[in-house]
mmCIF file of all heavy atoms in Angstrom:
data_model
loop_
_atom_site.group_PDB
_atom_site.id
_atom_site.type_symbol
_atom_site.label_atom_id
_atom_site.label_comp_id
_atom_site.label_asym_id
_atom_site.label_seq_id
_atom_site.Cartn_x
_atom_site.Cartn_y
_atom_site.Cartn_z
ATOM 1 N N VAL B 22 99.410 115.776 98.997
ATOM 2 C CA VAL B 22 99.739 114.416 99.424
ATOM 3 C C VAL B 22 101.053 114.018 98.746
ATOM 4 O O VAL B 22 101.124 113.945 97.519
ATOM 5 C CB VAL B 22 98.608 113.423 99.060
ATOM 6 C CG1 VAL B 22 98.969 112.022 99.516
ATOM 7 C CG2 VAL B 22 97.285 113.873 99.666
ATOM 8 N N CYS B 23 102.086 113.804 99.543
ATOM 9 C CA CYS B 23 103.391 113.425 99.000
ATOM 10 C C CYS B 23 103.524 111.914 98.877
ATOM 11 O O CYS B 23 104.145 111.417 97.947
ATOM 12 C CB CYS B 23 104.502 113.974 99.879
ATOM 13 S SG CYS B 23 104.517 115.775 99.978
ATOM 14 N N SER B 24 102.950 111.201 99.834
ATOM 15 C CA SER B 24 102.936 109.744 99.762
ATOM 16 C C SER B 24 101.762 109.223 100.577
ATOM 17 O O SER B 24 101.296 109.873 101.510
ATOM 18 C CB SER B 24 104.250 109.145 100.282
ATOM 19 O OG SER B 24 104.409 109.426 101.666
ATOM 20 N N GLY B 25 101.266 108.070 100.189
ATOM 21 C CA GLY B 25 100.126 107.471 100.865
ATOM 22 C C GLY B 25 98.809 107.857 100.214
ATOM 23 O O GLY B 25 98.784 108.496 99.158
ATOM 24 N N ARG B 26 97.712 107.453 100.866
ATOM 25 C CA ARG B 26 96.375 107.739 100.350
ATOM 26 C C ARG B 26 95.515 108.339 101.454
ATOM 27 O O ARG B 26 95.628 107.958 102.612
ATOM 28 C CB ARG B 26 95.710 106.460 99.828
ATOM 29 C CG ARG B 26 96.437 105.850 98.647
ATOM 30 C CD ARG B 26 95.776 104.593 98.122
ATOM 31 N NE ARG B 26 95.527 103.642 99.191
ATOM 32 C CZ ARG B 26 94.411 102.917 99.290
ATOM 33 N NH1 ARG B 26 93.465 103.000 98.396
ATOM 34 N NH2 ARG B 26 94.254 102.072 100.289
ATOM 35 N N VAL B 27 94.630 109.247 101.047
ATOM 36 C CA VAL B 27 93.759 109.964 101.975
ATOM 37 C C VAL B 27 92.319 109.831 101.495
ATOM 38 O O VAL B 27 92.018 110.106 100.332
ATOM 39 C CB VAL B 27 94.150 111.462 102.054
ATOM 40 C CG1 VAL B 27 93.213 112.219 102.960
ATOM 41 C CG2 VAL B 27 95.591 111.613 102.511
ATOM 42 N N LYS B 28 91.431 109.401 102.386
ATOM 43 C CA LYS B 28 90.008 109.298 102.060
ATOM 44 C C LYS B 28 89.341 110.628 102.382
ATOM 45 O O LYS B 28 89.487 111.166 103.473
ATOM 46 C CB LYS B 28 89.353 108.185 102.888
ATOM 47 C CG LYS B 28 87.849 108.078 102.681
ATOM 48 C CD LYS B 28 87.246 106.909 103.433
ATOM 49 C CE LYS B 28 87.298 107.130 104.921
ATOM 50 N NZ LYS B 28 86.605 106.080 105.699
ATOM 51 N N LEU B 29 88.596 111.166 101.410
ATOM 52 C CA LEU B 29 87.838 112.398 101.612
ATOM 53 C C LEU B 29 86.364 112.040 101.684
ATOM 54 O O LEU B 29 85.823 111.422 100.768
ATOM 55 C CB LEU B 29 88.089 113.372 100.460
ATOM 56 C CG LEU B 29 89.541 113.826 100.345
ATOM 57 C CD1 LEU B 29 89.756 114.596 99.063
ATOM 58 C CD2 LEU B 29 89.931 114.654 101.535
ATOM 59 N N SER B 30 85.725 112.433 102.779
ATOM 60 C CA SER B 30 84.315 112.112 102.965
ATOM 61 C C SER B 30 83.567 113.338 103.479
ATOM 62 O O SER B 30 84.156 114.266 104.020
ATOM 63 C CB SER B 30 84.159 110.950 103.947
ATOM 64 O OG SER B 30 84.703 111.294 105.201
ATOM 65 N N ALA B 31 82.251 113.305 103.293
ATOM 66 C CA ALA B 31 81.386 114.389 103.756
ATOM 67 C C ALA B 31 80.126 113.779 104.343
ATOM 68 O O ALA B 31 79.705 112.694 103.932
ATOM 69 C CB ALA B 31 81.035 115.333 102.608
ATOM 70 N N GLY B 32 79.532 114.480 105.285
ATOM 71 C CA GLY B 32 78.303 114.005 105.905
ATOM 72 C C GLY B 32 77.115 114.217 104.985
ATOM 73 O O GLY B 32 77.012 115.224 104.286
ATOM 74 N N SER B 33 76.210 113.244 104.975
ATOM 75 C CA SER B 33 74.992 113.361 104.169
ATOM 76 C C SER B 33 73.867 113.916 105.041
ATOM 77 O O SER B 33 74.004 114.037 106.256
ATOM 78 C CB SER B 33 74.594 111.995 103.611
ATOM 79 O OG SER B 33 74.130 111.154 104.662
ATOM 80 N N ALA B 34 72.746 114.208 104.414
ATOM 81 C CA ALA B 34 71.580 114.719 105.136
ATOM 82 C C ALA B 34 71.081 113.708 106.166
ATOM 83 O O ALA B 34 70.528 114.091 107.202
ATOM 84 C CB ALA B 34 70.467 115.066 104.154
ATOM 85 N N SER B 35 71.298 112.422 105.898
ATOM 86 C CA SER B 35 70.845 111.379 106.827
ATOM 87 C C SER B 35 71.860 111.100 107.930
ATOM 88 O O SER B 35 71.632 110.241 108.772
ATOM 89 C CB SER B 35 70.547 110.089 106.061
ATOM 90 O OG SER B 35 71.736 109.588 105.485
ATOM 91 N N GLY B 36 72.981 111.839 107.913
ATOM 92 C CA GLY B 36 73.986 111.668 108.955
ATOM 93 C C GLY B 36 75.061 110.650 108.657
ATOM 94 O O GLY B 36 75.949 110.428 109.474
ATOM 95 N N LYS B 37 75.011 110.024 107.499
ATOM 96 C CA LYS B 37 76.023 109.052 107.117
ATOM 97 C C LYS B 37 77.171 109.743 106.404
ATOM 98 O O LYS B 37 76.992 110.780 105.768
ATOM 99 C CB LYS B 37 75.425 107.978 106.205
ATOM 100 C CG LYS B 37 74.389 107.122 106.885
ATOM 101 C CD LYS B 37 73.900 106.040 105.965
ATOM 102 C CE LYS B 37 72.863 105.195 106.688
ATOM 103 N NZ LYS B 37 72.395 104.108 105.830
ATOM 104 N N ALA B 38 78.352 109.159 106.493
ATOM 105 C CA ALA B 38 79.521 109.686 105.788
ATOM 106 C C ALA B 38 79.558 109.116 104.377
ATOM 107 O O ALA B 38 79.450 107.908 104.187
ATOM 108 C CB ALA B 38 80.796 109.328 106.530
ATOM 109 N N LEU B 39 79.685 110.001 103.402
ATOM 110 C CA LEU B 39 79.788 109.595 101.999
ATOM 111 C C LEU B 39 81.230 109.803 101.535
ATOM 112 O O LEU B 39 81.780 110.885 101.688
ATOM 113 C CB LEU B 39 78.855 110.436 101.131
ATOM 114 C CG LEU B 39 77.374 110.388 101.472
ATOM 115 C CD1 LEU B 39 76.619 111.419 100.647
ATOM 116 C CD2 LEU B 39 76.833 109.000 101.208
ATOM 117 N N ILE B 40 81.812 108.757 100.977
ATOM 118 C CA ILE B 40 83.168 108.883 100.453
ATOM 119 C C ILE B 40 83.113 109.639 99.135
ATOM 120 O O ILE B 40 82.408 109.239 98.212
ATOM 121 C CB ILE B 40 83.823 107.505 100.268
ATOM 122 C CG1 ILE B 40 83.941 106.804 101.618
ATOM 123 C CG2 ILE B 40 85.196 107.649 99.616
ATOM 124 C CD1 ILE B 40 84.427 105.371 101.527
ATOM 125 N N LEU B 41 83.846 110.747 99.069
ATOM 126 C CA LEU B 41 83.867 111.575 97.864
ATOM 127 C C LEU B 41 84.938 111.102 96.884
ATOM 128 O O LEU B 41 84.713 111.048 95.683
ATOM 129 C CB LEU B 41 84.099 113.035 98.225
ATOM 130 C CG LEU B 41 83.088 113.648 99.197
ATOM 131 C CD1 LEU B 41 83.519 115.046 99.589
ATOM 132 C CD2 LEU B 41 81.706 113.657 98.569
ATOM 133 N N ARG B 42 86.118 110.822 97.420
ATOM 134 C CA ARG B 42 87.213 110.338 96.585
ATOM 135 C C ARG B 42 88.371 109.915 97.467
ATOM 136 O O ARG B 42 88.392 110.194 98.661
ATOM 137 C CB ARG B 42 87.681 111.383 95.574
ATOM 138 C CG ARG B 42 88.443 112.561 96.167
ATOM 139 C CD ARG B 42 88.878 113.539 95.065
ATOM 140 N NE ARG B 42 89.453 114.732 95.615
ATOM 141 C CZ ARG B 42 90.744 115.037 95.573
ATOM 142 N NH1 ARG B 42 91.596 114.219 94.997
ATOM 143 N NH2 ARG B 42 91.182 116.172 96.079
ATOM 144 N N ILE B 43 89.331 109.256 96.847
ATOM 145 C CA ILE B 43 90.579 108.888 97.502
ATOM 146 C C ILE B 43 91.676 109.728 96.848
ATOM 147 O O ILE B 43 91.871 109.660 95.634
ATOM 148 C CB ILE B 43 90.898 107.383 97.333
ATOM 149 C CG1 ILE B 43 89.745 106.518 97.838
ATOM 150 C CG2 ILE B 43 92.215 107.046 98.021
ATOM 151 C CD1 ILE B 43 89.471 106.592 99.318
ATOM 152 N N ALA B 44 92.342 110.550 97.652
ATOM 153 C CA ALA B 44 93.452 111.362 97.138
ATOM 154 C C ALA B 44 94.740 110.564 97.282
ATOM 155 O O ALA B 44 94.983 109.931 98.313
ATOM 156 C CB ALA B 44 93.547 112.674 97.906
ATOM 157 N N GLU B 45 95.545 110.590 96.231
ATOM 158 C CA GLU B 45 96.796 109.838 96.214
ATOM 159 C C GLU B 45 97.975 110.782 96.053
ATOM 160 O O GLU B 45 97.805 111.993 95.910
ATOM 161 C CB GLU B 45 96.747 108.808 95.087
ATOM 162 C CG GLU B 45 95.632 107.795 95.291
ATOM 163 C CD GLU B 45 95.593 106.726 94.224
ATOM 164 O OE1 GLU B 45 96.274 106.875 93.188
ATOM 165 O OE2 GLU B 45 94.879 105.734 94.433
ATOM 166 N N SER B 46 99.147 110.226 96.069
ATOM 167 C CA SER B 46 100.383 110.985 95.954
ATOM 168 C C SER B 46 100.319 111.970 94.785
ATOM 169 O O SER B 46 99.921 111.607 93.685
ATOM 170 C CB SER B 46 101.556 110.021 95.767
ATOM 171 O OG SER B 46 102.765 110.723 95.691
ATOM 172 N N GLY B 47 100.670 113.218 95.050
ATOM 173 C CA GLY B 47 100.678 114.261 94.026
ATOM 174 C C GLY B 47 99.398 115.061 93.949
ATOM 175 O O GLY B 47 99.351 116.069 93.253
ATOM 176 N N GLN B 48 98.360 114.641 94.649
ATOM 177 C CA GLN B 48 97.081 115.352 94.579
ATOM 178 C C GLN B 48 96.953 116.375 95.704
ATOM 179 O O GLN B 48 97.549 116.231 96.767
ATOM 180 C CB GLN B 48 95.923 114.372 94.598
ATOM 181 C CG GLN B 48 95.899 113.494 93.364
ATOM 182 C CD GLN B 48 94.684 112.594 93.315
ATOM 183 O OE1 GLN B 48 94.263 112.037 94.316
ATOM 184 N NE2 GLN B 48 94.132 112.454 92.116
ATOM 185 N N VAL B 49 96.142 117.407 95.445
ATOM 186 C CA VAL B 49 95.925 118.504 96.386
ATOM 187 C C VAL B 49 94.590 118.300 97.099
ATOM 188 O O VAL B 49 93.592 117.959 96.472
ATOM 189 C CB VAL B 49 95.932 119.864 95.646
ATOM 190 C CG1 VAL B 49 95.638 121.008 96.598
ATOM 191 C CG2 VAL B 49 97.279 120.077 94.960
ATOM 192 N N VAL B 50 94.585 118.525 98.396
ATOM 193 C CA VAL B 50 93.386 118.406 99.227
ATOM 194 C C VAL B 50 93.095 119.771 99.846
ATOM 195 O O VAL B 50 94.006 120.454 100.302
ATOM 196 C CB VAL B 50 93.608 117.347 100.330
ATOM 197 C CG1 VAL B 50 92.425 117.281 101.271
ATOM 198 C CG2 VAL B 50 93.892 115.987 99.718
ATOM 199 N N GLY B 51 91.833 120.165 99.834
ATOM 200 C CA GLY B 51 91.431 121.429 100.453
ATOM 201 C C GLY B 51 91.419 122.615 99.510
ATOM 202 O O GLY B 51 91.282 123.753 99.946
ATOM 203 N N LEU B 52 91.523 122.360 98.227
ATOM 204 C CA LEU B 52 91.605 123.439 97.244
ATOM 205 C C LEU B 52 90.335 124.296 97.155
ATOM 206 O O LEU B 52 90.429 125.526 97.204
ATOM 207 C CB LEU B 52 91.972 122.867 95.877
ATOM 208 C CG LEU B 52 92.257 123.852 94.765
ATOM 209 C CD1 LEU B 52 93.401 124.793 95.128
ATOM 210 C CD2 LEU B 52 92.585 123.101 93.487
ATOM 211 N N PRO B 53 89.132 123.715 97.048
ATOM 212 C CA PRO B 53 87.935 124.564 96.901
ATOM 213 C C PRO B 53 87.751 125.566 98.047
ATOM 214 O O PRO B 53 87.502 126.741 97.817
ATOM 215 C CB PRO B 53 86.780 123.568 96.847
ATOM 216 C CG PRO B 53 87.396 122.292 96.357
ATOM 217 C CD PRO B 53 88.775 122.285 96.949
ATOM 218 N N GLY B 54 87.904 125.103 99.271
ATOM 219 C CA GLY B 54 87.747 125.992 100.417
ATOM 220 C C GLY B 54 88.835 127.053 100.479
ATOM 221 O O GLY B 54 88.584 128.207 100.822
ATOM 222 N N THR B 55 90.044 126.669 100.139
ATOM 223 C CA THR B 55 91.159 127.609 100.170
ATOM 224 C C THR B 55 90.952 128.721 99.148
ATOM 225 O O THR B 55 91.215 129.890 99.427
ATOM 226 C CB THR B 55 92.492 126.875 99.920
ATOM 227 O OG1 THR B 55 92.666 125.909 100.963
ATOM 228 C CG2 THR B 55 93.663 127.829 99.908
ATOM 229 N N ILE B 56 90.451 128.384 97.980
ATOM 230 C CA ILE B 56 90.205 129.388 96.940
ATOM 231 C C ILE B 56 89.011 130.266 97.305
ATOM 232 O O ILE B 56 89.074 131.486 97.208
ATOM 233 C CB ILE B 56 89.954 128.715 95.569
ATOM 234 C CG1 ILE B 56 91.186 127.950 95.111
ATOM 235 C CG2 ILE B 56 89.519 129.731 94.525
ATOM 236 C CD1 ILE B 56 92.382 128.797 94.783
ATOM 237 N N SER B 57 87.910 129.652 97.738
ATOM 238 C CA SER B 57 86.667 130.396 97.985
ATOM 239 C C SER B 57 86.631 131.096 99.336
ATOM 240 O O SER B 57 85.880 132.050 99.511
ATOM 241 C CB SER B 57 85.470 129.439 97.893
ATOM 242 O OG SER B 57 85.467 128.548 99.003
ATOM 243 N N GLY B 58 87.406 130.599 100.291
ATOM 244 C CA GLY B 58 87.344 131.143 101.641
ATOM 245 C C GLY B 58 86.209 130.559 102.462
ATOM 246 O O GLY B 58 86.019 130.919 103.616
ATOM 247 N N LYS B 59 85.466 129.635 101.865
ATOM 248 C CA LYS B 59 84.363 128.978 102.572
ATOM 249 C C LYS B 59 84.905 127.757 103.319
ATOM 250 O O LYS B 59 85.949 127.219 102.951
ATOM 251 C CB LYS B 59 83.281 128.556 101.581
ATOM 252 C CG LYS B 59 82.610 129.742 100.915
ATOM 253 C CD LYS B 59 81.537 129.302 99.960
ATOM 254 C CE LYS B 59 80.909 130.529 99.293
ATOM 255 N NZ LYS B 59 79.915 130.138 98.298
ATOM 256 N N PRO B 60 84.199 127.297 104.348
ATOM 257 C CA PRO B 60 84.682 126.148 105.120
ATOM 258 C C PRO B 60 84.956 124.927 104.247
ATOM 259 O O PRO B 60 84.339 124.742 103.197
ATOM 260 C CB PRO B 60 83.533 125.868 106.095
ATOM 261 C CG PRO B 60 82.841 127.190 106.236
ATOM 262 C CD PRO B 60 82.942 127.833 104.881
ATOM 263 N N TYR B 61 85.897 124.117 104.725
ATOM 264 C CA TYR B 61 86.207 122.872 104.022
ATOM 265 C C TYR B 61 84.931 122.059 103.849
ATOM 266 O O TYR B 61 84.100 121.989 104.749
ATOM 267 C CB TYR B 61 87.221 122.040 104.806
ATOM 268 C CG TYR B 61 88.619 122.610 104.842
ATOM 269 C CD1 TYR B 61 89.281 122.766 106.046
ATOM 270 C CD2 TYR B 61 89.290 122.961 103.679
ATOM 271 C CE1 TYR B 61 90.579 123.268 106.093
ATOM 272 C CE2 TYR B 61 90.582 123.461 103.706
ATOM 273 C CZ TYR B 61 91.227 123.612 104.928
ATOM 274 O OH TYR B 61 92.500 124.101 104.972
ATOM 275 N N GLU B 62 84.788 121.420 102.702
ATOM 276 C CA GLU B 62 83.587 120.649 102.374
ATOM 277 C C GLU B 62 83.727 119.172 102.699
ATOM 278 O O GLU B 62 82.773 118.420 102.558
ATOM 279 C CB GLU B 62 83.270 120.810 100.887
ATOM 280 C CG GLU B 62 82.986 122.243 100.491
ATOM 281 C CD GLU B 62 82.842 122.416 98.990
ATOM 282 O OE1 GLU B 62 83.249 121.516 98.227
ATOM 283 O OE2 GLU B 62 82.324 123.456 98.585
ATOM 284 N N ALA B 63 84.916 118.737 103.107
ATOM 285 C CA ALA B 63 85.145 117.316 103.349
ATOM 286 C C ALA B 63 86.080 117.126 104.528
ATOM 287 O O ALA B 63 86.798 118.038 104.927
ATOM 288 C CB ALA B 63 85.738 116.659 102.102
ATOM 289 N N THR B 64 86.057 115.925 105.049
ATOM 290 C CA THR B 64 86.985 115.502 106.090
ATOM 291 C C THR B 64 87.987 114.554 105.450
ATOM 292 O O THR B 64 87.607 113.686 104.670
ATOM 293 C CB THR B 64 86.228 114.782 107.229
ATOM 294 O OG1 THR B 64 85.350 115.728 107.848
ATOM 295 C CG2 THR B 64 87.173 114.219 108.266
ATOM 296 N N ALA B 65 89.261 114.736 105.771
ATOM 297 C CA ALA B 65 90.316 113.883 105.238
ATOM 298 C C ALA B 65 90.770 112.909 106.321
ATOM 299 O O ALA B 65 90.942 113.290 107.473
ATOM 300 C CB ALA B 65 91.487 114.730 104.767
ATOM 301 N N GLU B 66 90.958 111.652 105.907
ATOM 302 C CA GLU B 66 91.402 110.610 106.840
ATOM 303 C C GLU B 66 92.464 109.770 106.153
ATOM 304 O O GLU B 66 92.241 109.255 105.043
ATOM 305 C CB GLU B 66 90.210 109.734 107.217
ATOM 306 C CG GLU B 66 90.543 108.614 108.150
ATOM 307 C CD GLU B 66 89.343 107.743 108.445
ATOM 308 O OE1 GLU B 66 88.202 108.113 108.118
ATOM 309 O OE2 GLU B 66 89.549 106.651 109.004
ATOM 310 N N ALA B 67 93.608 109.626 106.799
ATOM 311 C CA ALA B 67 94.690 108.812 106.240
ATOM 312 C C ALA B 67 94.266 107.353 106.208
ATOM 313 O O ALA B 67 93.753 106.829 107.190
ATOM 314 C CB ALA B 67 95.952 108.982 107.060
ATOM 315 N N LEU B 68 94.470 106.704 105.068
ATOM 316 C CA LEU B 68 94.163 105.283 104.933
ATOM 317 C C LEU B 68 95.368 104.410 105.244
ATOM 318 O O LEU B 68 95.239 103.191 105.400
ATOM 319 C CB LEU B 68 93.669 104.981 103.515
ATOM 320 C CG LEU B 68 92.339 105.625 103.137
ATOM 321 C CD1 LEU B 68 92.028 105.380 101.675
ATOM 322 C CD2 LEU B 68 91.228 105.078 104.027
#
């Protein structure tokens, strides 16, 4: 993220979206999946 804010959320067992964190300028998004090779664990949405 170079500028702005991104909301990271994931679906819960009940089908609701849970906000995991807000990524801000300078932060990396998608790191766990990129390292492990497993699917992304969250959805990113520009705020």
Side-chain angles (χ1 to χ4, degrees):
V22 180
C23 298
S24 65
R26 296 180 309 139
V27 177
K28 176 176 68 174
L29 297 171
S30 60
S33 70
S35 64
K37 295 183 180 182
L39 301 172
I40 298 173
L41 303 174
R42 71 179 173 108
I43 304 295
E45 298 182 348
S46 182
Q48 295 185 319
V49 177
V50 175
L52 187 58
T55 299
I56 297 293
S57 70
K59 295 181 181 177
Y61 290 129
E62 299 173 344
T64 295
E66 179 182 348
L68 294 174

